[in-house]
Amino acid sequence: EVQLLESGGGLVQPGGSLRLSCAASGFPFSTYWMHWVRQAPGKGLVWVSRITRDGTSTSYADSVKGRFTISRDNARDTLYLQMNNLSAEDTAVYYCGVAERSSYGADFWGQGTLVTVSS
Amino acid sequence: QAALTQPPSASGSPGQSVTISCTGTSSDVGSYKYVFWYQQLPGKAPKLILYEVSKRPSGVPDRFFGSKTGNTASLTVSGLQAEDEADYYCSSYAGSNNLVFGGGTKLTVL
């Protein structure tokens, strides 16, 4: 059974940093691209970032480019999202997703972790 | 990376059919087969219901049907059931290794 468990969310002050983790199990993690999306309270889904199987290629939404860094540790079956210089607009539930059937869309999403940016 | 356009809401009575549109541009929906649809229940993670425009993962009822014409993809739910009441989101590959989502449609079963 595919499982994705996000962690690392919480309350952070504007300008602060957080690192999110996504622990994967139930599938060969190193085989698939991975994605992060976010959902602000009461709003829709917004794609944030993606990473290839071996981590050598990454891509970001314009809104987070230069502030967020996606990475993965295939030995630990874990995906990461380093978030720097956070602002209130980054407040959201962050979901990690695995792209099994197609690299350009996720088949399965975790339950998410809430990031709140506030002073 | 402008969001795809979905109607904010849609509704239908049990047993009826409803279609939700997802309009993009020739740079995303119009150029690629990588259109995905997700169902999201309140407080839950999104669940994949269609991928590559019209393919259904195992376990998704064949009441869910996807299609695409030009820059617009569509999700049709036939034989509406109370359990179909949820938010629905489309996403598309947008080139340059980027994805874009629609704003979401709240489906109400009357």
Side-chain angles (χ1 to χ4, degrees):
Chain A
E1 179 190 5
V2 173
Q3 290 194 353
L4 297 170
L5 184 61
E6 301 93 337
S7 61
L11 176 64
V12 61
Q13 292 190 338
S17 298
L18 274 180
R19 189 175 83 154
L20 305 183
S21 298
C22 169
S25 61
F27 67 98
F29 178 74
S30 63
T31 304
Y32 301 110
W33 289 23
M34 298 291 293
H35 296 264
W36 286 101
V37 299
R38 67 185 182 184
Q39 186 169 35
K43 303 295 185 181
L45 299 170
V46 176
W47 177 76
V48 172
S49 183
R50 71 95 182 126
I51 189 168
T52 53
R53 300 174 188 85
D54 59 3
T56 58
S57 176
T58 59
S59 185
Y60 301 92
D62 288 345
S63 59
V64 306
K65 201 172 294 183
R67 301 188 299 122
F68 289 14
T69 301
I70 189 173
S71 62
R72 65 192 298 164
D73 184 341
N74 285 343
R76 297 177 183 271
D77 290 349
T78 303
L79 175 73
Y80 301 101
L81 186 66
Q82 177 68 43
M83 305 185 297
N84 298 330
N85 193 22
L86 288 162
S87 69
E89 288 69 38
D90 297 313
T91 294
V93 174
Y94 285 74
Y95 297 98
C96 64
V98 56
E100 291 186 316
R101 293 177 177 83
S102 168
S103 296
Y104 302 117
D107 302 68
F108 183 84
W109 300 97
Q111 288 304 303
T113 187
L114 176 62
V115 172
T116 303
V117 184
S118 175
S119 55
Chain B
Q1 295 179 348
L4 306 176
T5 300
Q6 296 181 235
S9 63
S11 63
S13 299
Q16 288 186 332
S17 294
V18 64
T19 297
I20 298 170
S21 62
C22 169
T23 301
T25 70
S26 58
S27 298
D28 39 61
V29 174
S31 290
Y32 304 102
K33 67 177 183 178
Y34 303 111
V35 176
F36 286 57
W37 287 92
Y38 300 93
Q39 178 192 66
Q40 188 178 36
L41 298 171
K44 299 295 187 182
K47 173 191 172 184
L48 179 69
I49 55 172
L50 292 172
Y51 65 101
E52 294 181 359
V53 177
S54 60
K55 298 177 181 178
R56 277 186 305 275
S58 62
V60 174
D62 59 6
R63 303 185 294 103
F64 293 87
F65 176 80
S67 62
K68 188 183 83 162
T69 301
N71 297 336
T72 298
S74 298
L75 165 68
T76 297
V77 186
S78 60
L80 270 176
Q81 299 181 4
E83 65 202 51
D84 299 331
E85 188 161 291
D87 293 328
Y88 291 84
Y89 294 90
C90 60
S91 74
S92 173
Y93 180 59
S96 301
N97 294 310
N98 295 326
L99 299 186
V100 62
F101 276 83
T105 298
K106 181 176 181 60
L107 174 60
T108 301
V109 181
L110 302 171

